[in-house]
Structure formats: structure tokens, C-alpha cells
Amino acid sequence: MRITWLLAAFLLAARLSPGQTIGNTFEYGKEITWGVTKATNSGLIGGFLARMSIRRTDQDLHYFGFEMVNVKHPKEERYYSFTGNTYIYGKTNYLYNIRAYYGRDWTLFRKATQQGVQVDGILAGGPTIGVVAPYYIEYLVNDEVIKIHPDLNYKYLNSDINRDYILGTGNLFQGIGQSGIAPGLNAKAALSFEFGSVKYSVIGIETGFMLEIFAQKIPIVPTAEQFNIFPNAFISLYYGTRK
């Protein structure tokens, strides 16, 4: 939280300073980008994003965004079964966050038309819909493979289940129809570094901090502490076009 406030203060200070810019006007009014994102509370690829920026002034853009990400509990631990497949012992639910946000994108340091790196500061926030989906495992019972949701049919700490008979995780998106909904809010502060020499194409990296708050605690790993506040640092790789 302290780092997030420091980054927000830096963005405000940079916004109020004149900065180092090249040229005085932009030749585009809209920017559309998409990409992938990785956070400290996600897997190797945390999720996907789509964004649109609309010019407001020479140095200021309206910033709209949409993300779908998988959020993990800090106590998740991956194990290998005797088949070589992996599973997370003690996990009972996935948390898929669908985020929408609006904010401002300020150009702090502008690049030349065909070279250099442009640096933007971003402050944004909006609603989050948390989809709490059951985490299924494949389990061997009397030489028959069944798919179970540990929180509904068994308990990991109960003698009814034996880790030696866990084969791996269930199918992707299995049990999505049994999901619950957790409403929440998100806010982020970030810096965007844009590269490339193509005039109307965009490629870059956005990095910063995000905070999500839900109305209730999310039961991802019931045997560990449950949270309704999820801070994270993230990095996103994006590509897009300008018009």
C-alpha cells in the first residue's frame, strides 16, 4: 500500500512538471491495445487485457480498460501426483476477476515520431466481478477415476481422501456453472513504456500496482487465512493501433 501511494504521488508530480517532450501535437485521437498481464498473485500468464485511450488534450487521454485474470492465494502449493500431473493441495476454488476501469493517461515524456521511448503515467479504477469457480481434482476410487470438488464432497483434512490417490486437476473451466459472484472494486497506478518506430502501431509495457477490494472474503484455500483485499504488482505486454 505504501509503495502504491508513492507511485501515485510520483505520477501526480510528473503530471504537474513540464517534462521533456518532442513536438507539440499528436496526430491521432484514439489508441486501441490488447495483450497479456502477469501479477504477483497470478500464474505465469495472469490473464488478458483490452484497452482504449481517447485523446482529451495534447498531454491527456481518457483511459478505458477491461481485463480477465486468474488470482491465486499466496499459500497455494503445487504438487505432483504419481501420474506426473500437478494439483494444488488444499485449494477448493478458483478466483477469476473480470475488471473494468476508467482513468486518465498522462504523457510524461514523449518520444520522437519514429524513435525513442514514450513514458505515460496512468491512474485508473472501477468495478470488479469476482467469479468464484469450484476447483476440481481427479481422484482414484476402486480403480475408477472420478472428478470431485473437495469442498463439496470431501475435505482435504478428512480421512475420506488420500493424497496418494489424487491424479491431478479436473478439466479447464469444469464447474463454471456452479460459480458464485463476488462484487468488488479495483484501483491502479502504473507507468507505461511505449517502444517501436511504426507511426500508427503501438507496442509497449505497462507496470505498476493494483489493489482490489471485495465485499466478502474469498474462500480459495479454506485451510489458510482468507482475504477480501488483494494487492499486487503487475506487468503487462500490449500491442495495438492508433487512429
Side-chain angles (χ1 to χ4, degrees), residues 19-60:
Q20 298 176 359
T21 62
I22 301 176
N24 295 316
T25 61
F26 282 84
E27 297 181 5
Y28 67 95
K30 182 185 296 184
E31 180 178 287
I32 299 174
T33 57
W34 55 90
V36 295
T37 184
K38 166 75 174 74
T40 51
N41 61 353
S42 71
L44 180 61
I45 296 180
F48 304 92
L49 61 89
R51 304 179 313 192
M52 180 173 66
S53 298
I54 300 175
R55 182 143 309 282
R56 181 172 176 269
T57 68
D58 186 44
Q59 296 284 108
D60 186 2

Side-chain angles (χ1 to χ4, degrees), residues 109-230:
F109 301 95
R110 190 184 305 170
K111 69 175 183 177
T113 304
Q114 299 292 333
Q115 63 183 359
V117 178
Q118 178 170 303
V119 181
D120 288 11
I122 298 166
L123 291 174
T128 294
I129 298 176
V131 180
V132 185
Y135 177 81
Y136 276 82
I137 59 172
E138 291 185 339
Y139 191 68
L140 188 63
V141 178
N142 297 326
D143 295 326
E144 180 184 358
V145 178
I146 63 173
K147 293 181 173 63
I148 63 172
H149 177 212
D151 194 42
L152 297 177
N153 304 305
Y154 295 89
K155 296 291 182 182
Y156 274 122
L157 300 183
N158 191 302
S159 59
D160 289 335
I161 193 167
N162 188 331
R163 281 178 53 184
D164 294 336
Y165 294 99
I166 299 176
L167 305 181
T169 60
N171 299 328
L172 185 65
F173 299 123
Q174 182 176 7
I176 196 74
Q178 301 169 278
S179 301
I181 300 298
L185 297 172
N186 67 74
K188 74 172 181 177
L191 291 174
S192 176
F193 301 88
E194 179 196 318
F195 309 96
S197 59
V198 180
K199 191 172 183 180
Y200 291 105
S201 293
V202 183
I203 185 169
I205 294 173
E206 180 181 305
T207 183
F209 300 91
M210 173 168 284
L211 181 69
E212 286 187 294
I213 302 177
F214 292 93
Q216 65 211 53
K217 294 184 177 181
I218 310 297
I220 300 175
V221 180
T223 56
E225 182 181 0
Q226 305 303 304
F227 304 101
N228 68 321
I229 299 176
F230 293 85

